């Protein structure tokens, strides 16, 4: 139950969100004009988004044009990791802010070769709450959950799952060591979002990565089937 | 680099934070008057805060008065888990907000027996960013990091670690299966916060829980040694 103290913040958030939505619409138009599928990757901290991305970029190789925007509160560690794959990457540092905004994505796009006819991965700040409220203009949203986090995450953080095109379960190699029911997590996600696609993956063993990469290569470039 | 669009939000956040700080000061006064050590437990989603809490409450048993406030975006699942230990608990549901605020803690206190001379655990929303900005009036802050999240978390989410009295590494039973250097995580935390206490724990094997519980029982009730 939000307290009274939250009301003024909510009013201002609406203004910020309206301005964000304008820039997001420009980004979305830019992606359509350039035939780019832009994917907003979201998860809790430490869910393995960057590891998944490294493995994905390695497998996609030269099968399609690729580029990456890396969002973090601090440090450029993740962009350095991605750069080693040879894919063009720009680090977006929010300097304390808990989510990416459309304007920062637009600034990043100015510094990145446009992956025409291909895929742009936008790795959001590690946070299962706030990024859900900020449209970046992405074609699709993807949410990652590691099996070490527990199978209750969709129910506890519903906003993040309602608009996701796909839920990627990561770190499946650790499943034997943790108390995580895949069926339970999938049922919770589908209760919020019946059409959500599910991938069971491990960047360590390679499990599920072929199916995940085939899915990425077949995505609808207009996002009309599952836009935010 | 925050965008221009973020400036109005920052202005309003200052007002919200000022109001929050007033209520937090009242909470802190309440804790001192009632000889309560209030601990603000913070971490990413799925780091094992609730599991640690269950194990801790079981071990502390009747050695000291205990009470719990459970913060979540949605669901009362965690309060139900804690209630099974027999310790009084109130669920605080933020209904979408990404952090607890002092006013919601105050409302929770009205519904909870005061653990005079003992410990109040306040489990914050799973989020490594936003809760760091909101003083709840707690005596001490504790940050949990599971070894499955990666050893780069202090550096990537510095605000959360700067004011913590202790960093609790959780899920140590999974250490053999993951790429996590304990010394690296500890060094990063100490670079931000030289006096931070470190505990290496597993709620599955019981590793480190005796030392953690002894530490809790010995905490300074005034918080003068490490207040926020």
């Amino acid at each position: 139950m939000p307290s009274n103290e939250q009301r003024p913040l909510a009013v201002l958030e609406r203004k910020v969100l309206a301005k964000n939505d304008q820039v997001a619409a420009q980004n979305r138009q830019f992606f359509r004009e350039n035939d780019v599928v832009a994917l907003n990757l979201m998860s809790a901290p430490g869910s393995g988004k960057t590891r998944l991305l490294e493995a994905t970029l390695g497998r996609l190789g030269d099968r399609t044009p690729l580029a990456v925007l890396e969002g973090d509160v601090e440090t450029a560690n993740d962009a350095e990791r991605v750069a080693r794959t040879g894919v063009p990457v720009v680090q977006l540092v929010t300097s304390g802010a808990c989510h990416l905004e459309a304007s920062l994505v637009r600034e990043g796009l100015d510094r990145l070769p446009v992956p025409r006819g291909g895929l742009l991965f936008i790795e959001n700040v590690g946070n299962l709450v706030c990024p859900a409220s900020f449209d970046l203009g992405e074609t699709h949203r993807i949410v990652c959950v590691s099996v070490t986090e527990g199978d209750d995450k969709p129910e506890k953080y519903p906003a993040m799952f309602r608009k996701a095109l796909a839920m990627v379960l990561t770190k499946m190699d650790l499943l034997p060591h943790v108390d995580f029911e895949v069926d339970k997590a999938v049922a919770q996600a589908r209760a919020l979002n019946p059409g959500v696609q599910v991938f069971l993956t491990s960047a360590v063993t390679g499990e599920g990565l072929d199916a995940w990469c085939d899915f990425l290569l077949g995505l609808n470039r207009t996002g009309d089937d599952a836009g935010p």
Side-chain angles (χ1 to χ4, degrees), chain A:
Chain A
M1 291 140 283
S3 60
N4 288 335
E5 283 75 5
Q6 289 180 311
R7 281 184 198 150
L9 181 59
V11 172
L12 197 48
E13 275 189 335
R14 278 197 292 275
K15 289 182 196 165
V16 171
L17 284 173
K19 188 138 193 178
N20 183 73
D21 285 351
Q22 288 174 14
V23 181
Q26 294 166 5
N27 289 350
R28 186 167 283 113
Q29 181 66 18
F30 175 86
F31 296 137
R32 288 187 181 187
E33 286 172 2
N34 287 282
D35 196 25
V36 170
V37 174
L39 300 169
N40 184 354
L41 297 185
M42 301 189 277
S43 80
S47 293
K49 287 188 303 301
T50 311
R51 189 75 71 97
L52 175 71
L53 194 50
E54 289 171 302
T56 301
L57 297 172
R59 277 163 192 264
L60 291 176
D62 54 8
R63 295 163 72 189
T64 191
L66 299 167
V68 175
L69 293 174
E70 268 296 333
D72 275 300
V73 175
E74 293 291 350
T75 81
N77 297 351
D78 287 356
E80 288 164 14
R81 287 169 58 185
V82 168
R84 286 182 211 121
T85 67
V87 173
V89 57
V90 169
Q91 178 78 47
L92 308 176
V93 176
T94 67
S95 298
C98 53
H99 57 273
L100 288 180
E101 295 189 16
S103 57
L104 194 54
V105 168
R106 187 177 57 187
E107 287 181 49
L109 290 171
D110 289 342
R111 289 162 179 76
L112 202 62
V114 179
R116 286 189 176 78
L119 299 164
L120 170 71
F121 295 93
I122 308 169
E123 185 179 335
N124 217 310
V125 171
N127 184 332
L128 265 185
V129 188
C130 317
S133 301
F134 289 82
D135 183 11
L136 305 181
E138 69 273 354
T139 319
H140 301 291
R141 294 178 173 202
I142 310 289
V143 61
C144 301
V145 179
S146 70
V147 300
T148 56
E149 287 168 46
D151 49 28
D152 58 349
K153 291 300 159 291
E155 192 174 85
K156 291 179 75 176
Y157 300 89
M160 187 57 78
F161 292 82
R162 282 202 187 96
K163 292 183 179 176
L165 178 67
M167 173 173 77
V168 182
L169 297 186
T170 60
K171 308 191 189 183
M172 284 292 288
D173 52 294
L174 295 176
L175 193 64
H177 308 293
V178 296
D179 179 19
F180 184 98
E181 291 179 37
V182 171
D183 291 349
K184 182 177 162 189
V186 172
Q188 286 187 8
R190 293 218 162 117
L192 294 161
N193 180 353
V196 69
Q197 306 256 0
V198 176
F199 296 91
L200 312 183
T201 70
S202 165
V204 173
T205 65
E207 175 183 347
L209 294 182
D210 285 342
W212 161 244
C213 288
D214 289 345
F215 166 77
L216 292 174
L217 291 171
L219 282 177
N220 184 331
R221 294 188 189 291
T222 66
D224 290 340
D225 52 355

